[in-house]
Amino acid sequence: MSEVIPGRVWVTGAGGLIGHACVEVARAAGFSDRVRPMVRAEIDLTDFPALERLFAHERPSGVIHCAARSRSPACQTDPAGARLQNVEVTRRLAELAADLPMVFLSTDLVFDGRRDGSKGGYREGDAVNPLSVYAETKVEAEAWVRRNPRHAIVRTSLNFGRSPSGPGAFNEELAAAWRAGRVVDLFVDEFRCPIAALESARRLWALLDSGQGGVFHLAGSERLSRYDIGQLVAEDLRRSEPDLAMPMRAGSLAGYSGAPRAPDTTLDCSKLTALLGEPMPAFTLWLRGRTTG
Ligand SMILES: NC(=O)c1ccc[n+]([C@@H]2O[C@H](COP(=O)([O-])OP(=O)(O)OC[C@H]3O[C@@H](n4cnc5c(N)ncnc54)[C@H](OP(=O)(O)O)[C@@H]3O)[C@@H](O)[C@H]2O)c1
């Protein structure tokens, strides 16, 4: 266990994409001392007695709760396990952090993305309608977090970046498929608003520091199809792996008959933009402008 410094912010899921980005952002900004990265190897958050002991011992000053069973197929095949990880852990953490600021990560998939004539652009008050077990657990967890006006719920979209524990981000999954010689199928009529995990992380810290509770949307400013996103990831990957073949096929939801999918869950992020006084980044510009990571 790392040295106990009371008053540090717990970042759960620090071994994952967004939690790791939160730790990186804190380190880069020179406030590593404020951060307590929580990884599964040290504590399984479903071990509630251990969680309570650790919380009492360390007395954190806030919580950024990124830990989750975040893969939809894994939730679909084990709904009870998904509820334990995504709902019960969140509920217990929210109870423990009752007097502290807390930010909980939720998802754009709480929406079904099917509004008639919609071009996405969901706002915080729009009706949710989860289409998967993963999304259902997030809606249930949100209900627990909402009980405390000091706590914030952040719904985000596809996050781009590097996962310390393996290919978890969508860009990493695409790269892994191409390196394995596969052709990827990407919908031209399914829309998301991707954002770099580091950009999300900076805003998660700013939101925590603002002390504001409530629901917030946090995503890139561009509405992009899965196919467009694939093209951008390929363009980016070509810089470091110029010889890698990156075949992709354009598909359509019109001919799709698998598990339910949400066609357009793009988010209106004007509430968080106004609070932080900073626009959401355009994914294309961010990707083309970055030099590392
Ligand atoms: N990445 C996205 O595009 C995206 C989009 C929308 C919403 N979100 C949400 O944002 C949050 C962070 O996502 P992410 O992409 O960073 O997820 P991730 O890469 O899957 O990381 C989640 C981390 O939580 C850990 N964890 C899960 N259950 C745990 C437990 N019981 N005890 C301790 N650690 C546990 C995982 O450890 P193991 O690997 O050992 O399981 C993993 O390191 C999640 O709530 C996710 O649902 C993410």
Side-chain angles (χ1 to χ4, degrees):
M1 185 179 295
S2 57
E3 186 190 356
V4 174
I5 305 173
R8 290 198 295 176
V9 172
W10 274 20
V11 175
T12 71
L17 175 67
I18 299 176
H20 178 67
C22 287
V23 176
E24 289 289 291
V25 162
R27 287 190 179 139
F31 60 95
S32 308
D33 286 356
R34 277 195 66 200
V35 187
R36 166 69 158 102
M38 315 288 296
V39 294
R40 188 197 282 275
E42 186 181 7
I43 182 168
D44 183 333
L45 298 169
T46 63
D47 181 346
F48 294 135
L51 177 65
E52 285 154 25
R53 278 195 305 275
L54 195 61
F55 200 92
H57 184 58
E58 298 200 355
R59 288 173 285 124
S61 60
V63 177
I64 301 179
H65 179 34
C66 301
R69 188 172 292 185
S70 65
R71 325 295 293 170
S72 194
C75 295
Q76 211 65 28
T77 53
D78 177 18
R83 286 209 159 76
L84 177 63
Q85 306 258 8
N86 292 351
V87 183
E88 294 307 323
V89 167
T90 303
R91 175 185 177 181
R92 195 68 203 106
L93 269 175
E95 288 167 352
L96 289 170
D99 300 323
L100 307 176
M102 171 166 156
V103 175
F104 163 63
L105 267 291
S106 186
T107 172
D108 56 350
L109 295 177
V110 297
F111 301 113
D112 63 18
R114 290 172 173 167
R115 280 194 303 191
D116 281 347
S118 130
K119 292 264 182 256
Y122 283 96
R123 302 190 68 134
E124 286 79 356
D126 287 337
V128 299
N129 184 28
L131 299 179
S132 65
V133 169
Y134 166 67
E136 281 169 14
T137 64
K138 289 295 186 178
V139 170
E140 284 179 43
E142 285 191 4
W144 288 107
V145 177
R146 268 172 206 269
R147 292 176 166 215
N148 189 326
R150 290 192 70 175
H151 291 173
I153 292 160
V154 172
R155 297 180 184 139
T156 189
S157 182
L158 290 179
N159 273 245
F160 172 100
R162 267 189 312 198
S163 311
S165 51
F170 66 88
N171 52 292
E172 294 176 311
E173 286 181 343
L174 284 173
W178 286 323
R179 287 182 195 125
R182 293 202 295 274
V183 181
V184 297
D185 293 297
L186 295 167
F187 295 120
V188 295
D189 47 6
E190 182 174 282
F191 298 93
R192 301 292 184 260
C193 36
I195 184 169
L198 289 169
E199 293 287 335
S200 295
R202 276 204 307 111
R203 289 166 175 83
L204 293 173
W205 279 110
L207 177 59
L208 187 86
D209 287 342
S210 78
Q212 287 288 315
V215 183
F216 297 90
H217 289 174
L218 167 52
S221 63
E222 283 173 298
R223 175 179 183 269
L224 296 170
S225 74
R226 291 265 185 193
Y227 188 78
D228 291 337
I229 294 168
Q231 296 280 356
L232 286 169
V233 170
E235 176 188 315
D236 182 66
L237 193 58
R238 218 163 272 130
R239 298 200 286 183
S240 54
E241 298 181 47
D243 299 327
L244 183 66
M246 302 178 206
M248 63 189 93
R249 267 187 304 253
S252 169
L253 286 174
Y256 167 81
S257 58
R261 299 190 68 95
D264 186 342
T265 58
T266 51
L267 301 172
D268 179 325
C269 302
S270 49
K271 184 179 170 190
L272 189 58
T273 298
L275 176 71
L276 302 183
E278 184 185 20
M280 293 295 155
F283 185 62
T284 308
L285 291 178
W286 183 89
L287 207 56
R288 290 182 178 156
R290 85 200 176 105
T291 50
T292 57

